[in-house]
Amino acid sequence: MEAIVVGAGFGGLTAAVGLFQRGWDVTVVERATELRPVGSGLAVAPNGLRALDTLGVGDAVRKLAAFQGDATVTRPDGRVIARTASKAIVRRFGDAVIPATRSSVMDVLTALVPADVFRLGVAAQGVEAGSASQRPCLLTDSGRLEADMIVAADGVNSVLRRALFPEHPGAVYSGITAWRLLVPTPAGDFLPGEVWGGGRVFGITPLADGRTYAYGADHAEPGITYPDEKAELLRRFGDWHFPIPALISGADPETVLHNDIYEIAEALPAYHRGSVAILGDAAHAMTPHLGQGANQAMEDGVTLAALVGPAKDSEEIASALARYTALRALRGADMVRRSHRMGALTQSTSRSKTALRNLGMSLVGRLVPDLALRAMEPVVAWRPPEGP
Ligand SMILES: Cc1cc2nc3c(=O)[nH]c(=O)nc-3n(C[C@H](O)[C@H](O)[C@H](O)COP(=O)(O)OP(=O)(O)OC[C@H]3O[C@@H](n4cnc5c(N)ncnc54)[C@H](O)[C@@H]3O)c2cc1C
């Protein structure tokens, strides 16, 4: 059986690897001319690790972990709002959240397929979804490509989503803009975690390679860029507690990433059309506040491969894709909503709501420490589907 996967992000790669491991002939069509993810970090959550376990590489990613200690949520002046104990997460979910560079996780995945599955520098332009009697067809800037199944994993601005669901409004601006940095870890003691204040959030995640992945997010009008993004970050976060000013000052201005955050606020009616499946950000782009976008993309990818992998003809593909939609579409939409709600909580600009939030979180942390873990349950306790 032949599959074409469009997009070599975390979603496309996990689907491609899963199908390849089940004997499919896989081609990955990628617009970029090289396989190099943006230079930033990624938190791989226990659900993402379980997805990677199904491909045999969960442990390779677990080994990328830098710290197993506690993390904090603090105010900009350093006062602690809440703490999370990594050990408690491991006890409850079997794994910690693994911070890593995107490229290190990507390298683990790309090593699982031969280099010649990738067709780099080829942009998808549209798709014909196919039917029981006709294979789906991908339209690209290098011609038409046919397969038994096509996987649309082409990210938040998906061309294929527009072709499959022309009536869908697409991704909408969340109101939040975000900066990401990978910087040498500054000397001095600090805990990883997030800092919340005045509608802004700053995240600090030390990595195993001596660098720290940091991110800042704030409210902004869409489409604004700054001639000096590093200076803009210092303007917004430069008076926050250590190590934030040191992290921003240590950044190479050329490598500061700045993106407006878009989300699929209106859920797609299905995660397939004909013999084309859609996954990852293309299907359910979400704000980064839950740290789940890539984890959900990997859940999608391995679920799709597990369900469709055994199919032997177009009829079996059709019933596997119906099951894929049934398993994934509600979960994807739920994660978009949860992420949005989390963003509204962490980036609230209302002083009274913020004060209530901080008080509530510190009380919950002291009186019902289990509650925060229980809230994570529906997100990270996911298990891959059993075979057909
Ligand atoms: C600030 C920030 C922080 C984040 N932090 C986390 C985190 O800690 N944990 C987490 O799980 N998620 C996080 N995310 C979300 C995560 O980055 C995305 O959800 C994830 O990368 C989506 O993967 P994907 O494979 O669906 O899409 P993408 O990674 O966007 O991959 C899509 C691929 O398709 C290719 N492509 C696009 N169009 C075409 C075309 N027409 N033809 C061919 N190829 C095409 C692109 O070049 C790209 O390689 C964060 C996001 C942001 C913005």
Side-chain angles (χ1 to χ4, degrees):
M1 302 294 281
E2 291 173 349
I4 298 168
V5 177
V6 182
F10 291 104
L13 278 177
T14 45
V17 170
L19 289 166
F20 177 79
Q21 289 178 339
R22 288 169 176 84
W24 281 56
D25 184 348
V26 179
T27 301
V28 179
V29 169
E30 167 57 52
R31 184 176 55 186
T33 50
E34 55 181 334
L35 291 174
R36 202 166 44 155
V38 294
S40 80
L42 180 77
V44 186
N47 53 318
L49 289 166
R50 265 179 238 116
L52 291 165
D53 280 335
T54 70
L55 306 177
V57 287
D59 284 346
V61 172
R62 286 182 185 93
K63 283 194 193 128
L64 302 172
F67 68 88
Q68 295 287 323
D70 294 353
T72 54
V73 177
T74 51
R75 294 177 172 86
D77 62 10
R79 280 178 295 158
V80 174
I81 300 171
R83 290 178 193 277
T84 42
S86 187
K87 278 193 185 132
I89 296 178
V90 175
R91 263 199 309 275
R92 186 152 189 140
F93 301 115
D95 268 305
V97 176
I98 306 292
T101 58
R102 281 174 186 253
S103 55
S104 58
V105 181
M106 205 67 112
D107 287 349
V108 166
L109 285 168
T110 48
L112 296 175
V113 285
D116 63 5
V117 307
F118 295 103
R119 288 199 54 186
L120 301 178
V122 176
Q125 295 173 324
V127 70
E128 291 162 9
S131 63
S133 58
Q134 200 179 7
R135 299 207 308 166
C137 179
L138 184 71
L139 317 176
T140 79
D141 58 0
S142 305
R144 293 166 66 91
L145 298 170
E146 261 190 31
D148 297 295
M149 177 176 69
I150 292 173
V151 181
D154 51 341
V156 59
N157 296 314
S158 172
V159 168
L160 298 193
R161 180 183 62 236
R162 282 198 289 279
L164 295 169
F165 302 99
E167 69 289 357
H168 187 270
V172 294
Y173 182 49
S174 68
I176 300 293
T177 199
W179 291 264
R180 287 175 281 177
L181 332 163
L182 266 180
V183 285
T185 300
D189 286 339
F190 60 89
L191 283 176
E194 285 196 342
V195 187
W196 298 354
R200 298 173 191 167
V201 60
F202 198 94
I204 305 163
T205 312
L207 303 174
D209 65 2
R211 291 182 296 172
T212 291
Y213 165 48
Y215 51 89
D218 201 352
H219 298 264
E221 292 300 313
I224 299 176
T225 56
Y226 301 91
D228 184 343
E229 299 283 1
K230 177 174 163 176
E232 183 58 25
L233 263 180
L234 274 172
R235 190 182 73 73
R236 291 178 193 245
F237 298 98
D239 59 351
W240 285 26
H241 72 71
F242 178 81
I244 294 168
L247 286 167
I248 302 173
S249 300
D252 169 358
E254 299 298 312
T255 62
V256 175
L257 294 169
H258 178 199
N259 300 96
D260 286 347
I261 305 294
Y262 281 75
E263 60 188 340
I264 305 274
E266 182 179 318
L268 288 180
Y271 280 8
H272 75 287
R273 274 275 193 266
S275 301
V276 182
I278 186 163
L279 56 72
D281 276 9
H284 48 61
M286 60 192 74
T287 67
H289 298 95
L290 274 186
Q292 274 291 317
N295 287 289
Q296 292 300 316
M298 294 191 289
E299 283 190 15
D300 289 340
V302 302
T303 302
L304 178 68
L307 297 176
V308 180
K312 293 282 171 278
D313 56 36
S314 60
E315 219 171 281
E316 288 181 10
I317 289 176
S319 67
L321 287 179
R323 193 153 167 244
Y324 168 70
T325 280
L327 278 183
R328 297 305 305 168
L330 288 178
R331 180 159 170 84
D334 182 43
M335 290 302 135
V336 174
R337 280 192 298 271
R338 282 174 189 272
S339 235
H340 190 94
R341 281 203 302 269
M342 188 68 185
L345 178 77
T346 56
Q347 296 201 235
S348 170
T349 48
S350 149
R351 289 175 86 89
S352 55
K353 278 192 196 151
T354 306
L356 256 178
R357 173 200 71 196
N358 293 351
L359 179 68
M361 284 188 61
S362 90
L363 280 177
V364 161
R366 266 181 280 146
L367 304 177
V368 213
D370 201 31
L371 199 64
L373 291 179
R374 262 188 268 160
M376 287 172 72
E377 184 99 31
V379 179
V380 302
W382 172 86
R383 305 227 157 246
E386 303 292 325

